[in-house]
Amino acid sequence: MKNVKVFTLLLSVIGTATFAQDLEQAKKAVDAEQYDKAKKILKSLVASDANNGRNFFYLGDLYLNEKSVDSAKIYFEKGLAAKDKGALNYIGLGEMNLDSGDGFGAEANFAKATKDIKKKDTEEFLLIGRAYIKSDRPDFKKAIESLKKVLVVDPKSAQAYLSLGDAYYGDRNINESYSAYRNAYDYDNTLLLAKVKLAAITKNTKAFPEAVKAFNEIVAINPNFGPVYRELAETYYYWGASETTNYNAYVKKALEYYEKYMSLTDYSLESRMRHADFLILAKDYKALEAEAKKMQQLDKVNPRILRYLGYSAHENGNHQESVKALNEFIAKAEAKKIIARDYLYLGLAKIGLSKKADGKSYDKTFFDEGVVEINKAVEKDPVIASELNEFGLKLFKEKFYRESGKIFEVAVKNPKSKNYLYDNFYLGYSLYFNYDEKTSPKDELTKADLAFTNVIAASPTTQDAHLFKAKVNRIIDTPESKKVMVGSYEEYIKIVKEKGETEKAKNNLIEAYTYVGAYYANNGDKAKAVENLQALLVLEPGNKYATDTLKKL
């Protein structure tokens, strides 16, 4: 009987050790970004041992990282019933509270998780620290506070230092972050993630050759550690973006490294999504569309996949598919997950769809629907306005003046845009060239006048802004606008003469002197009329209007 008890106890110890080992394998798989492998291990553990709360927590946490909130909640709630460490699952529920903006609920759940722990227990504070870091609404200072509690008990905790590095980095304390990552690796030199993050700090300072060297050192230690190849891919991408002469070569290298990363991370949905994000950066839309379609086969519910489909389909000219995917994405996604770029792409896709088959015109209704979406994008994130210049210019050069005006009207809504001056200039141009006295409303000219006024305010010596402000006010043709016209023409003349560009601007100067001379002649200022008409005759001897008017004067 005694031997039976010893044997049973031995089996129990072996079983516990096996589960612990498997949980560590799952954690290592997560660090290596092999998410499907980790999920498979954790599901097996949950099925075989319902009394181990850690297994439920880590599986729920994995789902939460993938934004599968419903699945995460199911495992956290099941895990609460586990006899061993079931309270860890309050931490997962607390992170969900943080994500939804419920700070009080999060604090309450974290308090439940730590209520009955012993003085030497550190796991709870480590995981609470990570929850504050990983949340959609992170609180890095609270993360630091929690992680320091771990170090009070265990001053050599490599995992605490690793997470502390993340918290300090999020809090923009780069020196402390670097120090924490270094401590993590010093205390556990198998923790390659810490070494990767040290090199990533170097990458983020744009010291690209040094970063590549540091990442290659990690490759030499473990050539099968996937995250290092993702970092190498990003390093070469940013290096190429900063050294444009090498852009194509570096982006090609970046894509090769990303393929290597994918081959080592089991092509899970999460790693595919990271790949998709990188393909957007690299502007490889053919590959992005193919990747999005593969992801859709794996998961038909995740709305983020529709975003990738929408972006890539538009860039590849499949506007109908893009509109369908993005409309579906916006309908399915949580409001807080919809970003400005989603509306931008939907707007551009609708505009692409509005171009008629002959390529010579746009359907007005469809085009304007697209502009409404682009407006939403700029309202959500004004920085987007700076990206509209290229598209607006393309339309302008193709002489789609109404359409280019609509785009530039949205672009100038952000006065801080780097293209604000040029966007105003081309807005004024577009409105002026599109104006038809029979069909266009007068307020189009008022908008054009304001656009040129904005250019002048930002750059007073831009002579063409004065010239077109004068042209616009000439068409408005009210007593007040005539005064503005004369002032603008006179400013144009003055700037051109100061720049010594009289010969270059001869035709425009003839126009300016003609209208200014005529205005003063008609309004009884003989001296100014004579001055301008004589200047006109210098540029164009024998000008009939100038000769006849001077005789009358």
Side-chain angles (χ1 to χ4, degrees):
M1 190 69 178
K2 184 179 177 183
N3 288 340
V4 171
K5 284 182 180 178
V6 170
F7 183 67
T8 305
L9 182 62
L10 184 62
L11 279 178
S12 171
V13 170
I14 293 170
T16 304
T18 304
F19 287 135
Q21 185 185 3
D22 284 345
L23 181 57
E24 286 308 310
Q25 286 174 352
K27 289 180 187 177
K28 285 178 181 176
V30 170
D31 283 350
E33 296 175 22
Q34 296 171 336
Y35 302 111
D36 280 350
K37 179 181 177 181
K39 201 180 290 181
K40 188 177 178 182
I41 294 170
L42 289 165
K43 281 184 176 180
S44 170
L45 291 174
V46 162
S48 60
D49 187 6
N51 287 320
N52 191 329
R54 284 189 181 90
N55 300 333
F56 287 94
F57 169 78
Y58 281 102
L59 183 54
D61 193 52
L62 194 52
Y63 276 112
L64 193 56
N65 291 345
E66 293 178 349
K67 306 303 177 190
S68 300
V69 179
D70 292 340
S71 297
K73 189 177 181 183
I74 287 168
Y75 283 107
F76 290 142
E77 288 179 343
K78 281 184 179 179
L80 292 174
K83 292 177 183 177
D84 181 26
K85 289 291 183 180
L88 286 180
N89 290 277
Y90 282 119
I91 298 170
L93 294 172
E95 186 178 337
M96 291 176 71
N97 292 137
L98 289 175
D99 289 347
S100 62
D102 179 11
F104 291 113
E107 292 286 353
N109 274 316
F110 294 155
K112 288 176 187 175
T114 55
K115 182 183 171 187
D116 297 318
I117 63 172
K118 297 171 185 176
K119 284 185 178 180
K120 290 191 176 181
D121 285 346
T122 59
E123 187 176 14
E124 287 77 7
F125 291 116
L126 176 66
L127 297 176
I128 288 168
R130 286 179 180 171
Y132 276 120
I133 294 165
K134 295 193 293 99
S135 170
D136 291 342
R137 301 167 190 255
D139 188 330
F140 299 113
K141 285 186 169 39
K142 284 190 176 178
I144 292 165
E145 183 185 325
S146 185
L147 292 164
K148 282 185 173 179
K149 290 178 183 177
V150 178
L151 294 175
V152 169
V153 178
D154 183 3
K156 295 183 178 181
S157 170
Q159 289 294 334
Y161 276 114
L162 178 68
S163 294
L164 202 56
D166 294 342
Y168 277 126
Y169 194 84
D171 205 36
R172 298 184 179 182
N173 189 337
I174 308 303
N175 289 337
E176 289 292 344
S177 174
Y178 194 89
S179 176
Y181 289 141
R182 190 177 54 209
N183 285 337
Y185 190 69
D186 286 346
Y187 288 129
D188 181 0
N189 60 15
T190 67
L191 197 56
L192 287 182
L193 202 53
K195 199 166 175 65
V196 167
K197 292 190 176 192
L198 281 169
I201 288 178
T202 305
K203 171 197 76 177
N204 293 337
T205 63
K206 297 187 177 180
F208 301 118
E210 293 83 357
V212 167
K213 183 182 176 186
F215 288 129
N216 281 330
E217 286 172 5
I218 299 165
V219 170
I221 296 169
N222 183 355
N224 295 317
F225 191 63
V228 70
Y229 295 103
R230 175 173 50 75
E231 289 289 349
L232 274 165
E234 290 178 9
T235 303
Y236 274 104
Y237 169 76
Y238 290 119
W239 196 357
S242 69
E243 287 185 16
T244 49
T245 51
N246 293 319
Y247 180 80
N248 290 335
Y250 284 168
V251 166
K252 184 183 177 186
K253 200 156 190 171
L255 290 167
E256 286 170 1
Y257 274 123
Y258 223 106
E259 288 304 320
K260 177 71 173 175
Y261 161 75
M262 291 295 290
S263 72
L264 292 168
T265 53
D266 68 17
Y267 290 93
S268 65
L269 188 64
E270 183 66 20
S271 60
R272 282 183 182 279
M273 284 187 173
R274 284 194 171 190
H275 186 213
D277 289 335
F278 185 78
L279 291 172
I280 291 172
L281 267 184
K283 297 182 180 179
D284 189 342
Y285 296 108
K286 292 285 184 193
L288 177 63
E289 191 166 6
E291 186 68 278
K293 285 176 178 175
K294 286 175 189 171
M295 285 192 282
Q296 205 171 33
Q297 290 169 7
L298 291 172
D299 187 340
K300 295 186 184 295
V301 232
N302 195 313
R304 194 167 146 196
I305 298 166
L306 293 165
R307 172 187 281 157
Y308 298 132
L309 270 176
Y311 287 15
S312 56
H314 165 69
E315 293 286 356
N316 295 328
N318 305 323
H319 304 301
Q320 183 74 61
E321 189 177 338
S322 175
V323 170
K324 180 177 179 291
L326 288 168
N327 273 331
E328 194 178 340
F329 168 75
I330 289 167
K332 283 183 175 181
E334 295 174 59
K336 67 178 182 180
K337 300 287 174 68
I338 300 168
I339 60 173
R341 196 160 298 281
D342 300 330
Y343 291 117
L344 174 67
Y345 267 100
L346 179 56
L348 293 174
K350 283 185 175 183
I351 287 172
L353 206 55
S354 75
K355 194 168 190 178
K356 293 183 180 176
D358 61 5
K360 294 177 181 177
S361 61
Y362 286 87
D363 180 283
K364 181 177 180 294
T365 304
F366 288 161
F367 187 96
D368 291 352
E369 280 182 17
V371 173
V372 168
E373 302 297 344
I374 293 172
N375 239 317
K376 288 180 192 173
V378 172
E379 283 169 10
K380 197 166 184 69
D381 181 6
V383 174
I384 289 282
S386 64
E387 297 183 30
L388 301 177
N389 180 269
E390 187 179 344
F391 183 50
L393 274 177
K394 181 176 181 291
L395 291 167
F396 182 84
K397 287 173 183 176
E398 292 172 353
K399 298 186 178 179
F400 293 119
Y401 298 124
R402 178 192 177 275
E403 289 75 16
S404 64
K406 290 287 182 185
I407 297 299
F408 286 120
E409 264 191 272
V410 181
V412 299
K413 289 189 173 182
N414 178 15
K416 294 180 180 177
S417 165
K418 64 180 180 179
N419 299 317
Y420 184 68
L421 188 150
Y422 296 104
D423 290 340
N424 269 288
F425 198 96
Y426 280 98
L427 170 59
Y429 259 7
S430 300
L431 293 167
Y432 172 77
F433 287 120
N434 187 59
Y435 186 75
D436 184 310
E437 288 187 22
K438 294 178 182 178
T439 59
S440 300
K442 279 279 186 183
D443 72 336
E444 296 291 285
L445 293 174
T446 308
K447 289 178 189 175
D449 176 66
L450 177 60
F452 290 125
T453 301
N454 288 336
V455 176
I456 291 163
S459 179
T461 58
T462 302
Q463 65 256 37
D464 281 2
H466 294 282
L467 175 66
F468 278 87
K469 184 175 173 67
K471 288 174 181 283
V472 165
N473 279 278
R474 194 179 80 221
I475 301 171
I476 293 174
D477 196 26
T478 63
E480 188 57 42
S481 75
K482 286 177 181 177
K483 290 178 186 176
V484 175
M485 172 196 76
V486 170
S488 297
Y489 273 134
E490 286 179 326
E491 195 62 30
Y492 174 76
I493 292 165
K494 177 188 165 191
I495 294 167
V496 168
K497 287 168 77 174
E498 285 174 353
K499 289 184 177 179
E501 296 179 358
T502 302
E503 190 57 38
K504 184 179 173 184
K506 183 177 175 181
N507 290 337
N508 291 329
L509 284 172
I510 289 170
E511 176 189 318
Y513 283 126
T514 301
Y515 282 103
V516 173
Y519 176 82
Y520 285 126
N522 293 330
N523 286 275
D525 192 332
K526 182 178 175 180
K528 284 190 176 179
V530 169
E531 179 190 338
N532 280 278
L533 292 171
Q534 284 179 340
L536 172 55
L537 284 171
V538 171
L539 287 172
E540 191 175 54
N543 180 287
K544 190 173 186 309
Y545 172 76
T547 305
D548 292 348
T549 307
L550 282 169
K551 283 178 183 176
K552 290 176 185 176
L553 290 170

